[in-house]
Amino acid sequence: MSRRLRFDVDGRDWPNGEYSRFVEAGGVRWHVQVAGDGPTLLLLIHGTGASGHSWRDFIAPFRERCTVVVPDLPGHGFSAPAPSLGAMSLPGIASALGSLCRTLALPTSGPQILVGHSAGAAILMRAALDRAFGEPGDTLISLSGALLPFPGVAGHLLTPVARGMARLPFVAETFAWHVRSDSRVIAQLLRQTGSSLDARGTDLYRRLAGNTGHVQAALDMMAQWDLHALARDLPRLRTSTLLVGADRDGTVPARQALQAAERIEGARTLTLKHLGHLAHEEAPDRVARLIDEVIVAAAS
């Protein structure tokens, strides 16, 4: 199963598929879901190895008063790969995402609320720093944001190791084969995040991780990641920022939100109790209320 996911085949029962469209922008054919036409822009960006499906419970609560935009990152889900490996870097994806937003001609009359999960938060911060959207946005919410490099030697070794793995043609296929062959693989990986997903959520990740093209995109993204540069630039970030951690997060410890806040002027922090790395999927109502509070404050 080396082919990429096809929306006409694999997306027939995809969450919120009625809002899906395909848009050419920034050298990528994006799969993006756009719902509502309210003056507030709510841009939701997933992390490495996920897809826009991870925000499946956030369109319904906000579509009546917001324009909700949920893309699959390049090579992830149903979006086509980036035109080059270098385009999978933080600045490369941020720039391409800015092109997508301009192509969509999104509303600008109300607040712009940017919400990123894990690596998605790093992409949005890079985009705000580089002014990829023109204006940096009114408020940026980082959910378990992967914003800082691992400390010590690991922080300098992980990217070269990932880059080497991404260049090996059998790595993505082997991983995807294991996921397809043994249902316990994806269940174990999800448990390591500290989150507990229902059967539907688990199955969606199984379908993604069982596809070689999707796995290769995740490897390519990690291979080009440079959080050292982002960490150095965080003091220049001027967007109002809320850094949210989760106390059971097995992927990005909650303390990283506190550490990142020390670098961002005026940043606020919040720790979600009894939730893991996929907090927005295991407790969408709690995270939606948090986003709603930010929208109300931005509009006042």
Side-chain angles (χ1 to χ4, degrees):
M1 191 184 292
S2 60
R3 68 170 175 82
R4 293 202 54 79
L5 291 166
R6 287 176 46 186
F7 193 74
D8 59 341
V9 176
D10 306 286
R12 286 177 293 190
D13 63 341
W14 207 248
N16 298 308
E18 65 270 29
Y19 299 112
S20 290
R21 64 178 78 172
F22 289 85
V23 178
E24 300 275 353
V28 176
R29 185 172 187 262
W30 298 80
H31 170 243
V32 57
Q33 295 181 335
V34 182
D37 57 2
T40 297
L41 169 63
L42 180 59
L43 178 62
L44 305 173
I45 305 299
H46 68 80
T48 311
S51 78
H53 87 279
S54 62
W55 301 106
R56 58 193 174 278
D57 294 312
F58 288 79
I59 285 182
F62 294 106
R63 68 187 177 196
E64 295 299 325
R65 53 201 175 93
C66 299
T67 299
V68 187
V69 180
V70 188
D72 289 346
L73 292 175
H76 289 66
F78 298 102
S79 287
S84 67
L85 187 58
M88 291 296 283
S89 66
L90 261 175
I93 296 177
S95 176
L97 186 61
S99 295
L100 171 65
C101 291
R102 288 191 295 275
T103 300
L104 289 171
L106 299 170
T108 58
S109 60
Q112 295 184 4
I113 311 299
L114 315 176
V115 187
H117 172 249
S118 194
I123 291 168
L124 287 175
M125 288 191 181
R126 186 75 266 169
L129 287 162
D130 295 349
R131 302 188 72 84
F133 303 132
E135 295 300 321
D138 294 280
T139 303
L140 195 157
I141 303 174
S142 164
L143 297 176
S144 292
L147 308 175
L148 302 176
F150 285 91
V153 176
H156 294 279
L157 288 181
L158 285 176
T159 295
V161 169
R163 188 171 291 124
M165 291 179 63
R167 290 171 178 162
L168 297 174
F170 60 84
V171 173
E173 178 58 47
T174 300
F175 178 84
W177 178 83
H178 278 294
V179 170
R180 297 194 300 269
S181 302
D182 188 346
S183 61
R184 294 172 298 179
V185 173
I186 198 66
Q188 181 180 5
L189 288 172
L190 290 173
R191 280 197 300 272
Q192 291 173 356
T193 70
S195 290
S196 178
L197 300 189
D198 59 18
R200 171 66 165 158
T202 300
D203 179 64
L204 290 167
Y205 275 107
R206 180 191 59 78
R207 290 160 64 178
L208 290 172
N211 180 267
T212 303
H214 178 86
V215 175
Q216 186 63 56
L219 287 172
D220 290 345
M221 194 167 160
M222 289 187 290
Q224 296 300 308
W225 227 229
D226 182 4
L227 291 177
H228 293 279
L230 178 65
R232 288 194 301 268
D233 290 343
L234 285 180
R236 295 196 292 107
L237 187 66
R238 292 295 177 263
T239 302
S240 176
T241 304
L242 174 61
L243 300 163
V244 182
D247 66 352
R248 292 183 179 174
D249 194 329
T251 305
V252 179
R255 66 177 178 274
Q256 190 173 121
L258 302 176
Q259 293 166 346
E262 295 175 357
R263 299 169 181 255
I264 302 172
E265 183 179 347
R268 297 171 292 135
T269 61
L270 175 68
T271 300
L272 297 172
K273 301 297 184 181
H274 313 302
L275 295 174
H277 189 63
L278 305 176
H280 61 306
E281 295 189 67
E282 59 178 337
D285 290 348
R286 285 176 62 181
V287 177
R289 285 196 296 271
L290 183 158
I291 293 174
D292 184 67
E293 291 171 3
V294 170
I295 291 174
V296 171
S300 63

